[in-house]
Amino acid sequence: MLDAATPNRPNLPAEIARRRTFAIISHPDAGKTTLTEKFLLYGGAIQMAGQVRAKGEARRTRSDFMQMEKDRGISVSASAMSFDFGKFRFNLVDTPGHSDFSEDTYRTLTAVDAAVMVIDGAKGVESQTQKLFEVCRMRDLPILTFCNKMDRESRDTFEIIDEIQEMLAIHVTPASWPIGVGRDFLGCYDMLHNRLELMDRADRNKVAESIKIDGLDDPKLAELVPAHLLEKLREEVEMARELLPAMDPAEVMAGQMTPIWFGSAINSFGVKELMDGIAEYGPEPQPQSAEPRQIAPEEDKVAGFVFKVQANMDAKHRDRVAFVRMASGHFKRGMKLMHVRSKKPMAISNPVMFLASDRELAEEAWAGDIIGIPNHGQLRIGDTLTEGEALRVTGIPSFAPELLQGVRATDPMKAKHLEKALMQFAEEGAAKVFKPMIGSGFIVGVVGQLQFEVLASRIELEYGIPVRFEATQFKSARWFSGPKAAQDKLVEANKQHIGYDNDGDPVFLTRLQWDIDRVERDYPELTLTATKELHGE
Ligand code: G4P
């Protein structure tokens, strides 16, 4: 087992140095859920594999809305789970699984230091893998790859590696090399530690002991691997060492190289080696960009930021949980932190941590950890909490929606209630809500069509307001910044194009690209943006 000390960050407290905060990205069906179960199994967080799924199902059957998620194979309720692996504390942040929720996914990825990319050995890089990978790349996140389902007929190993290199433009270094495929899949040769890992087909939850060998000419190999597979292994490993780049931790750290492990999550094979990889190349909690200065995890003072807000997690309580990534220090339950946006102190008396999907009170948390803070709406995405310093975490954007629709309550008496419901979803980050300057009703913006349906069922289910979405002439929205006089002039001359977001900031609602070109031409001193930094003023 590796030592958690980090020689390049000598001031990092051991408790922080041992933390690894990461997310799993994959195309649906590649094996993310199965891999998560096995992680938790190794982490001792659950006794038996299958519980994540079983609990997930129980949770999902709770309401029609949840049923809809299930039918469509999407998971909207993301959470974070913590578990120990040897000397390490792993924090696994769940990414929403559907491409319609890319904005949510982006924000989730602002809370992690690395990502594990799971691909199906028969399918290679799929559309969703590629999209999520691009999001990771925007943040230069280190990415570790797990090529799953090697117990099934899979593609040629070199072909898989080439595809990743070409489609994702990243160097790939084999951390392990598969021996046989499909029914012949025996296990892997560990390229980093010169070990043989053989799969135990008899017991899916058992991890076979690794076998130390002395290079590929070790006579022991012939006793363990049939001659034809051994010959192929020797040839391939020799070729791989010649043609593929060798492991370079600095390149992995910079997001320019991904090590790949081959395995079979369902057979618990290759998972431990991947976890060792996360421990070794993870990396430890990284500094967080903020204004007016960056926040280093090793600072004594506590700081953290909200990257996700989830409402109505418990149908019985109208509470919301703000998910906070701790950026620095050692947090203890009951601490008073300053909510920088409102400049008000907040006593954090009942924070929760999510241990294998069960909520527990978090007595303490270190930089790198994710805690959930129940609140009544004070905490919004992008908010920073500190021990008093006016720091604002940066880099958590709000994207311009790609699809806009008008929304009305079918019962006009409920218009006021609808406004409240919409504002809540806007704060949660589930949609953009604009109140047009002229006319009644609201305009709701999302990044994927499916979100309208999800919203309609949530508004009806959680607030008892039946609603109707209807077409609008607007196609997108732009925030604008620049001299106040020019902003006022733009608003005054284009009232029918102006709306206000849930923070009260004006946006320019556009029908065509031509609208944007026109404003840029007529108001050269203003800057139009498709994103808005969420750190609230
Ligand atoms: P996801 O969360 O990425 O969508 O994938 P999930 O883990 O649910 O896995 C998708 C399917 O692939 C599941 O089968 C799962 O059992 C299977 N699977 C996962 N890992 C492996 C593996 O290493 N080898 C093989 N052969 N299959 C694997 P399913 O039939 O959809 O569900 P279930 O009935 O098995 O639960």
Side-chain angles (χ1 to χ4, degrees), residues 164-176:
I164 300 172
Q165 302 206 113
E166 265 169 45
M167 288 184 68
L168 306 181
I170 187 166
H171 296 302
V172 180
T173 184
S176 70

Side-chain angles (χ1 to χ4, degrees), residues 26-35 53 148-152 263-267:
S26 65
H27 191 86
D29 241 28
K32 186 171 95 167
T33 312
T34 312
L35 187 64
R53 196 183 305 269
N148 192 27
K149 305 196 188 182
M150 295 304 291
D151 59 316
R152 282 207 191 144
S264 167
I266 203 137
N267 287 295

Side-chain angles (χ1 to χ4, degrees), residues 365-533:
W366 292 85
D369 284 340
I370 310 290
I371 59 170
I373 303 181
N375 68 100
H376 300 295
Q378 304 92 315
L379 290 175
R380 295 200 201 157
I381 294 166
D383 282 355
T384 307
L385 295 168
T386 68
E387 285 193 43
E389 194 177 342
L391 293 171
R392 287 183 298 129
V393 163
T394 53
I396 305 178
S398 174
F399 293 92
E402 288 162 20
L403 295 166
L404 297 181
Q405 284 196 356
V407 63
R408 275 172 210 288
T410 32
D411 174 358
M413 301 294 284
K414 296 215 161 144
K416 203 69 213 158
H417 288 115
L418 176 62
E419 177 165 2
K420 199 168 152 251
L422 290 174
M423 286 307 151
Q424 176 171 322
F425 291 126
E427 281 163 25
E428 199 186 306
K432 297 283 173 312
V433 175
F434 304 116
K435 197 168 169 41
M437 200 170 170
I438 292 177
S440 60
F442 293 89
I443 289 175
V444 170
V446 296
V447 286
Q449 186 66 34
L450 186 62
Q451 273 172 289
F452 287 126
E453 291 172 43
V454 171
L455 274 178
S457 47
R458 283 192 65 184
I459 297 171
E460 175 146 16
L461 218 102
E462 293 170 25
Y463 293 87
I465 314 172
V467 294
R468 201 174 58 233
F469 279 95
E470 50 201 31
T472 151
Q473 54 170 324
F474 299 117
K475 293 280 180 288
S476 191
R478 292 288 179 275
W479 284 274
F480 46 88
S481 58
K484 176 97 177 43
Q487 291 196 30
D488 291 347
K489 198 169 141 217
L490 171 72
V491 169
E492 210 37 49
N494 294 278
K495 283 187 183 143
Q496 72 286 6
H497 277 278
I498 302 295
Y500 292 91
D501 71 12
N502 60 304
D503 296 322
D505 291 332
V507 291
F508 183 75
L509 297 162
T510 69
R511 290 166 309 190
L512 307 158
Q513 179 61 35
W514 184 82
D515 289 322
I516 300 176
D517 297 343
R518 180 175 62 85
V519 171
E520 282 176 342
R521 190 190 60 226
D522 294 351
Y523 301 86
E525 63 277 54
L526 294 182
T527 313
L528 296 191
T529 51
T531 58
K532 170 175 141 172
E533 279 263 334

